[in-house]
Amino acid sequence: MRIPWNTLKITGLIICITGLYAFSDRRAERREITGIQVEFVGEDQLYLTEGMVNKLLIQNYGSLRNVPQDAVVLNTMESVLRTCDMVKNAEVFLAVDGTLHAKIIQRHPIGRVAGTTSFYLDDQGLKMPLSPNHSARVPIITGKITGKSLEDVYEILKYINADSFLSKNVIGIHIEDEADYRLKFRMEDFLVRLGDSTDLDRKFKNFKAFYLKATQDQTLAQYREVNLAFSNQVVCTKI
């Protein structure tokens, strides 16, 4: 009887490989988390600290050091981190050395509502709590705060933030009503009446044309109010 050595060799090799994989998997299951590393990604890194992230994890999972790696569900941990009011997005993964890495993107405020309750408005138009660690230098929103007026203010703030001139000079938005938004500029006692939140491109182009002409003529200090609410004209009020 002829012994099929090649077949036996292949079968033995398969058994060995399978055994090695099973052994490797069992070792991986017994591996423990050796530490936690928090990394803040992007420009906004001021409102949330590493200690605050660690505290949130401890509140939900206890001390993670020496916890078996297979006991941690990374997707669930990401969801927990996203429940933090300062977190825009979170990614959690395990490194080969057993370190648990948490990459955090913090939310970005673009305006601050000053009223009975103060809060930020973020770059997605959502309410964001104030941070005990840092106060953002953003336009202050005052006046009649409603759901509709905040939606309009969000559109106005998006336009302002996309424009280098406006983002440097607009320091406040006052809501007189939902059809009368007023912009406060860095220049003392200088007010721009925007009207409603529609046709922003035309209104701000008209304002820039006025501003450039008044600056060239050195007459800007003579004006206390510029009204952009009208369709085809800029109405200015002198001091």
Side-chain angles (χ1 to χ4, degrees):
M1 179 178 177
R2 186 177 180 181
I3 299 175
W5 293 109
N6 289 335
T7 302
L8 291 175
K9 289 178 181 178
I10 293 173
T11 301
L13 181 60
I14 292 173
I15 292 171
C16 289
I17 292 173
T18 303
L20 286 173
Y21 272 116
F23 177 73
S24 176
D25 286 342
R26 284 194 296 272
R27 288 192 61 187
E29 289 175 358
R30 289 196 297 269
R31 287 177 183 169
E32 298 176 343
I33 295 174
T34 58
I36 302 174
Q37 181 173 326
V38 178
E39 177 185 356
F40 295 112
V41 181
E43 297 180 359
D44 291 295
Q45 303 182 12
L46 302 170
Y47 310 103
L48 188 66
T49 66
E50 182 175 346
M52 293 168 71
V53 175
N54 285 328
K55 183 178 179 180
L56 181 61
L57 291 174
I58 290 171
Q59 286 175 342
N60 285 272
Y61 297 98
S63 176
L64 287 167
R65 185 179 291 276
N66 299 326
V67 170
Q69 293 183 17
D70 63 334
V72 175
V73 181
L74 299 181
N75 290 340
T76 303
M77 189 172 289
E78 290 174 349
S79 298
V80 167
L81 290 173
R82 293 187 190 114
T83 63
C84 176
D85 290 330
M86 300 295 177
V87 173
K88 184 175 184 178
N89 197 15
E91 178 185 355
V92 180
F93 62 92
L94 280 164
V96 176
D97 63 358
T99 303
L100 183 75
H101 290 260
K103 288 190 173 183
I104 307 291
I105 299 176
Q106 297 189 32
R107 294 171 68 184
H108 175 61
I110 59 175
R112 176 173 177 168
V113 174
T116 306
T117 303
S118 295
F119 55 89
Y120 290 124
L121 201 63
D122 76 359
D123 58 355
Q124 294 180 310
L126 302 174
K127 292 181 180 181
M128 172 182 170
L130 303 183
S131 169
N133 302 306
H134 180 74
S135 181
R137 297 183 63 182
V138 292
I140 304 298
I141 304 163
T142 57
K144 298 178 181 178
I145 308 298
T146 66
K148 174 61 169 62
S149 66
L150 283 183
E151 289 177 7
D152 290 345
V153 165
Y154 171 59
E155 295 301 322
I156 296 168
L157 285 170
K158 280 200 302 182
Y159 193 100
I160 290 171
N161 275 274
D163 185 282
S164 59
F165 169 75
L166 295 173
S167 61
K168 290 177 183 177
N169 289 286
V170 176
I171 61 172
I173 301 176
H174 181 73
I175 307 169
E176 191 65 24
D177 59 51
E178 293 176 1
D180 189 2
Y181 296 95
R182 305 180 181 190
L183 308 184
K184 174 70 175 176
F185 275 67
R186 292 196 182 279
M187 293 169 289
E188 187 175 357
D189 297 325
F190 187 78
L191 188 70
V192 175
R193 295 186 65 173
L194 195 60
D196 61 24
S197 62
T198 63
D199 209 3
L200 295 178
D201 193 55
R202 175 190 60 79
K203 291 175 181 178
F204 282 121
K205 282 182 178 178
N206 287 344
F207 172 72
K208 287 181 179 181
F210 155 78
Y211 188 92
L212 179 61
K213 182 67 167 60
T215 301
Q216 291 173 343
D217 296 342
Q218 297 184 345
T219 59
L220 192 61
Q222 298 177 15
Y223 299 97
R224 63 179 175 83
E225 183 177 287
V226 177
N227 195 330
L228 307 174
F230 302 99
S231 298
N232 298 312
Q233 58 184 330
V234 175
V235 179
C236 304
T237 303
K238 290 189 175 182
I239 297 173

